[in-house]
Amino acid sequence: MSFKDLQLNRPILRAVAETGYDNPTLVQEKTIPLVLNKKDIIVSAQTGTGKTAAFALPILQLLFDRQDVAKKGKTIKALIVSPTRELALQIEENFKTYSTYTNLRSTVVFGGISIEPQKDILKKGVDILIATPGRLLDLHKQDIVNLDYVETLVLDEADLMLDMGFIDDVKKIERLCTREKQILLFSATIPYKVEQLASSILTSPERIEVAQNSSTSKNVNQLLYYVPKRNKIELCLHLLRNTIKGRIIIFRRTKFGVDKLEKTLLKNGYKVDSIHGDKSQTTRQEALNKFKKGDVNILIATDVAARGIDISNLDAVVNFDLPNVPETYVHRIGRTARAGKSGIAYSLCSADEKSYIQSIQQLILLQLDVIEDHPYPLDPKAKPIIHKSKKTGSKHKKGRKSVASKKKKKRWY
Ligand code: AMP
């Protein structure tokens, strides 16, 4: 199938062609016709499948014929709600690219930065608004945002939105829009609470599933290292020195863990930056830009901070801490081996994380390759410990949690 078969207007097709897309991805093939038919949909697809264009292109198409209304009279006709700032920005960039040859206007609003410039843009009028829930409600309360004319509401990364505690905000936003709107719900996974939300606000939705699990697994060499918790940093340094090369993302579960590992890697001369929920929007964006430009080749991230961000061409993903939700493992490793390339995923598993490995393997229907030949085996009897250099690691204490991280228990991402 080609983009032309999807009945998109010329200016949109031109922008798509200039972006370098030859053919629609599977999720685009399935989604675009349904959106153009004004159906409600539930799409289970992850970042990397082309899901943003799957809703952005038909939304632009639906609005295209009415694009020339006086600029002042512009009303928000499409609202895209996204859980994280980075993802919201990325969606906005996509809309801007695909609408190059139209007069449609879009903007993005999110917290963590000054609200005034956002107000100024909104007052001038936009057709498409991309927003994180908190800032959107804030702007609505201040009467800057009018949702009375929203025809299409997109809830992106719905599972993450609910994980982050936005359920009430999302329901409120939905109620603030007109009743007759079309709702497009995108979610990497569809757990029960997403189903519940969908059944409470969507009308006879069509379902689209784009499985990524098996195709991801095929191209990613998935390696597993059993290692005592206290030696994880040493093993990570050992792997970076001897094995892992190129553009790398290292995932940690907590903000504290991210900071700690970043300090150690910096001390050891690596070019590294990090993103997590305690960093300001500007700092996070700078880190991402540095990584994308190649100024640093290692990015350390928590799952929530990295979720949805389009970072492609990765050579390796390191699961420094294993995720307790198996789907998260699939998201993480899905960041390497995109577009038919191959990649390597390194998972460091300590004794208390063994059960996570079982759930992951059950989900992906694959046994990870256990690498026993390394200096810090979990069971020292099975393999002699050859500590090459004790000095290289950090002086971290036993036990993972610091006083600081215990204090900040509420927001661990
Ligand atoms: P997404 O899943 O929306 O985050 O998209 C992941 C990446 O795929 C982005 O870098 C897009 O620019 C790219 N992409 C989206 N649609 C296509 C397509 N039809 N062909 C090639 N790349 C695409």
Side-chain angles (χ1 to χ4, degrees):
M1 192 184 259
S2 79
F3 276 106
K4 277 191 191 129
D5 301 325
L6 291 168
Q7 305 187 337
L8 299 170
N9 276 326
R10 271 209 197 149
I12 299 174
L13 288 175
R14 185 175 164 201
V16 164
E18 283 178 10
T19 312
Y21 304 166
D22 295 328
N23 294 304
T25 64
L26 187 60
V27 72
Q28 290 161 4
E29 253 182 60
K30 290 183 172 182
T31 306
I32 292 174
L34 293 175
V35 181
L36 291 176
N37 268 327
K38 300 295 275 174
K39 299 269 189 220
D40 279 8
I41 51 172
I42 302 175
V43 184
S44 97
Q46 294 166 14
T47 304
T49 52
K51 71 182 171 68
T52 316
F55 61 78
L57 296 176
I59 285 176
L60 289 169
Q61 171 73 28
L62 287 170
L63 299 179
F64 184 75
D65 294 335
R66 287 171 293 149
Q67 62 174 337
D68 289 323
V69 262
K71 276 175 191 158
K72 252 179 140 183
K74 278 191 184 294
T75 52
I76 299 164
K77 291 181 265 323
L79 172 65
I80 293 90
V81 184
S82 145
T84 69
R85 300 153 185 185
E86 286 83 358
L87 187 53
L89 260 175
Q90 209 170 275
I91 297 169
E92 152 74 349
E93 279 164 18
N94 275 250
F95 268 101
K96 281 265 185 307
T97 306
Y98 308 140
S99 64
T100 308
Y101 301 106
T102 75
N103 291 333
L104 293 164
R105 289 175 159 223
S106 57
T107 196
V108 60
V109 296
F110 46 76
I113 56 167
S114 167
I115 200 166
E116 295 307 322
Q118 299 179 351
K119 283 185 185 173
D120 292 342
I121 297 174
L122 287 167
K123 280 178 193 161
K124 286 182 195 147
V126 294
D127 302 280
I128 300 148
L129 177 64
I130 300 107
T132 53
R135 181 57 60 97
L136 177 64
L137 289 172
D138 207 358
L139 285 159
H140 187 270
K141 215 166 146 191
Q142 298 186 36
D143 257 348
I144 306 292
V145 157
N146 179 356
L147 301 179
D148 290 348
Y149 302 97
V150 171
E151 294 163 20
T152 306
L153 169 65
V154 180
L155 303 176
D156 198 17
E157 302 273 346
D159 50 353
L160 181 60
M161 204 116 68
L162 302 192
D163 282 350
M164 289 173 76
F166 286 133
I167 180 80
D168 292 335
D169 287 354
V170 169
K171 285 185 172 170
K172 201 164 167 187
I173 291 165
E174 190 275 326
R175 284 196 303 270
L176 292 172
C177 303
T178 42
R179 270 190 153 215
E180 299 73 31
K181 71 198 163 300
Q182 167 186 36
I183 304 184
L184 317 176
L185 184 148
F186 286 77
S187 198
T189 57
I190 315 282
Y192 180 63
K193 53 189 176 180
V194 171
E195 286 286 357
Q196 263 186 325
L197 172 72
S199 66
S200 69
I201 61 172
L202 274 71
T203 312
S204 321
E206 303 255 358
R207 285 169 183 272
I208 296 167
E209 247 177 75
V210 180
Q212 209 180 27
N213 298 6
S214 54
S215 58
T216 303
S217 311
K218 257 185 251 160
N219 298 333
V220 185
N221 197 1
Q222 300 176 58
L223 310 177
L224 175 59
Y225 293 76
Y226 286 108
V227 55
K229 197 165 220 104
R230 64 176 185 283
N231 294 125
K232 274 198 177 182
I233 285 185
E234 281 87 349
L235 177 59
C236 183
L237 285 165
H238 169 82
L239 291 173
L240 287 173
R241 239 180 269 122
N242 303 299
T243 315
I244 313 176
K245 300 281 172 262
R247 279 162 55 78
I248 306 155
I249 282 199
I250 306 180
F251 283 102
R252 293 221 57 176
R253 235 170 44 79
T254 66
K255 295 180 288 195
F256 169 72
V258 168
D259 285 341
K260 187 176 167 184
L261 183 61
E262 183 180 11
K263 273 187 205 138
T264 309
L265 295 192
L266 284 172
K267 252 193 250 163
N268 281 272
Y270 289 99
K271 288 184 180 164
V272 57
D273 215 318
S274 69
I275 50 172
H276 62 57
D278 257 6
K279 299 205 168 197
S280 74
Q281 176 55 30
T282 322
T283 316
R284 280 151 77 165
Q285 205 55 48
E286 273 169 13
L288 277 178
N289 289 344
K290 272 204 240 164
F291 188 63
K292 283 185 179 174
K293 277 197 298 186
D295 295 344
V296 299
N297 70 314
I298 303 175
L299 185 72
I300 313 175
T302 56
D303 291 298
V304 174
R307 181 81 172 267
I309 296 169
D310 179 30
I311 301 169
S312 38
N313 292 330
L314 285 180
D315 298 296
V317 169
V318 179
N319 296 308
F320 191 100
D321 301 308
L322 284 172
N324 52 356
V325 178
E327 283 82 5
T328 303
Y329 174 87
V330 179
H331 296 162
R332 288 180 179 183
I333 72 159
R335 292 174 170 281
T336 180
R338 283 197 182 161
K341 290 181 184 164
S342 61
I344 310 182
Y346 299 83
S347 296
L348 314 188
C349 177
S350 52
D352 58 326
E353 294 173 316
K354 278 184 174 174
S355 64
Y356 301 160
I357 286 293
Q358 277 170 6
S359 330
I360 289 166
Q361 294 185 149
Q362 270 163 13
L363 177 76
I364 62 172
L365 302 175
L366 204 91
Q367 296 290 314
L368 306 187
D369 277 341
V370 179
I371 307 295
E372 291 177 342
D373 185 19
H374 69 84
Y376 309 98
L378 187 58
D379 179 5
K381 278 176 229 138
K383 205 82 191 166
I385 307 174
I386 328 157
H387 290 296
K388 278 190 180 159
S389 162
K390 269 266 185 182
K391 272 180 265 161
T392 51
S394 79
K395 294 180 194 112
H396 62 287
K397 293 186 206 89
K398 251 189 183 178
R400 211 184 65 248
K401 281 187 181 152
S402 72
V403 180
S405 82
K406 276 178 192 157
K407 265 192 207 156
K408 293 178 187 167
K409 226 171 198 160
K410 258 200 242 151
R411 282 186 66 224
W412 51 268
Y413 52 80

